[in-house]
Amino acid sequence: MAAHLITGAGSGIGAVLTEKLAERGDELWLLARDARRAAELRERFPGAKTLVGNLGDPGKLSWAFGHQQLPVELDSLLHVAGTVELGPVGDLTPKAWQETLNVNLVAPAELTRLLLPSIRLVKGHVLFVNSGAGLNAHAEWSAYAASKHGLKALADALRQEEHANGVRVTSVYPGRTATAMQVKVHQQEGKQYDADRWIEPESVARAILAALDASRDAEITDITVRPGR
């Protein structure tokens, strides 16, 4: 039985991925921002274990984890959670920048640091759900794209550092996906949302599972998933 720690399990890609791993009978550790959210996740995914830590305040994750039981061995750390705030560079405040960078970049780096010993023990896998914005930046996407470009750099560096330890590292770059985040993006863009135009979360989840299930002689480093319709 493989053990996975998942961020963003409550919605979108993370929820679908968690459901698929639960169907396999794998051991699930789900990160929640607070105790109420943790209880909701345990009710939704019976048998799952939860950890409480706020990705918006990565400096406190070490302290929070110091008061909780962590997995001894971890086959995969799946960074799925994210946040988005659109706006021109001329309008985005330091608060918007900091909140975006905390959740999308600094927290994944800190989570990885804290859990690497458990991952190294079983030559596990660290997977980052990035974004098409991690490869190309467009107008009004500066903060989000910067955080995702940084996430790519984090993954690339980690891959080189941990290769000798047998740890595999994958970045997944989905295009627009039919999730609650995409609804928010359309609201910020002032556009009408049509879920049928975008990638199903299950399609991205299947790509993630393909990377996790690759045989040990292979490391799938980067996956780009684009809307097919």
Side-chain angles (χ1 to χ4, degrees), residues 85 110 121 144 171:
E85 189 68 36
E110 177 65 351
L121 274 178
Y144 182 76
S171 289

Side-chain angles (χ1 to χ4, degrees), residues 9 18 25 32 40 45 58 72-73 115 122 158 175 180 193 217 219 226:
T18 302
E40 291 173 354
F45 302 105
V72 176
E73 297 180 350
L115 293 165
V122 291
L158 180 69
Y193 175 70
D217 64 308
E219 179 180 17
R226 303 300 301 167

Side-chain angles (χ1 to χ4, degrees), residues 128-199:
F128 300 90
V129 175
N130 198 297
S131 166
L135 300 172
N136 296 285
H138 298 285
E140 302 199 3
W141 286 77
S142 59
Y144 182 76
S147 71
K148 292 299 189 175
H149 275 66
L151 195 65
K152 178 184 186 300
L154 169 61
D156 290 348
L158 180 69
R159 185 180 301 113
Q160 294 189 38
E161 292 168 4
E162 294 299 321
H163 183 77
N165 294 323
V167 175
R168 297 192 287 187
V169 179
T170 300
S171 289
V172 180
Y173 302 92
R176 295 198 181 217
T177 305
T179 65
M181 178 182 284
Q182 194 56 230
V183 174
K184 178 182 177 181
V185 165
H186 276 70
Q187 289 172 345
Q188 293 182 15
E189 292 176 325
K191 297 179 180 178
Q192 185 174 354
Y193 175 70
D194 180 2
D196 290 338
R197 294 184 59 193
W198 310 122
I199 305 165

Side-chain angles (χ1 to χ4, degrees), residues 9-160:
S11 64
I13 296 167
V16 174
L17 181 60
T18 302
E19 289 168 0
K20 289 187 173 297
L21 292 171
E23 289 170 1
R24 296 182 175 195
D26 286 354
E27 179 181 338
L28 302 179
W29 294 74
L30 310 179
L31 186 72
R33 74 176 70 93
D34 54 39
R36 180 188 62 81
R37 186 65 166 162
E40 291 173 354
L41 288 172
R42 289 194 300 271
E43 182 177 356
R44 182 173 180 181
F45 302 105
K49 301 176 183 178
T50 53
L51 288 172
V52 174
N54 183 2
L55 298 179
D57 195 357
K60 293 183 180 177
L61 287 172
S62 179
W63 178 87
F65 283 5
H67 295 77
Q68 301 173 78
Q69 178 188 355
L70 297 178
V72 176
E73 297 180 350
L74 197 58
D75 294 277
S76 80
L77 170 58
L78 306 172
H79 296 284
V80 189
T83 189
V84 62
E85 189 68 36
L86 303 186
V89 173
D91 293 343
L92 287 174
T93 64
K95 180 181 179 182
W97 277 93
Q98 195 61 63
E99 289 176 350
T100 301
L101 291 169
N102 278 349
V103 173
N104 292 353
L105 177 58
V106 182
E110 177 65 351
L111 276 178
T112 301
R113 182 183 77 86
L114 295 172
L115 293 165
L116 260 179
S118 298
I119 297 165
R120 288 172 177 153
L121 274 178
V122 291
K123 295 179 169 44
H125 204 137
V126 183
L127 186 142
F128 300 90
V129 175
N130 198 297
S131 166
L135 300 172
N136 296 285
H138 298 285
E140 302 199 3
W141 286 77
S142 59
Y144 182 76
S147 71
K148 292 299 189 175
H149 275 66
L151 195 65
K152 178 184 186 300
L154 169 61
D156 290 348
L158 180 69
R159 185 180 301 113
Q160 294 189 38

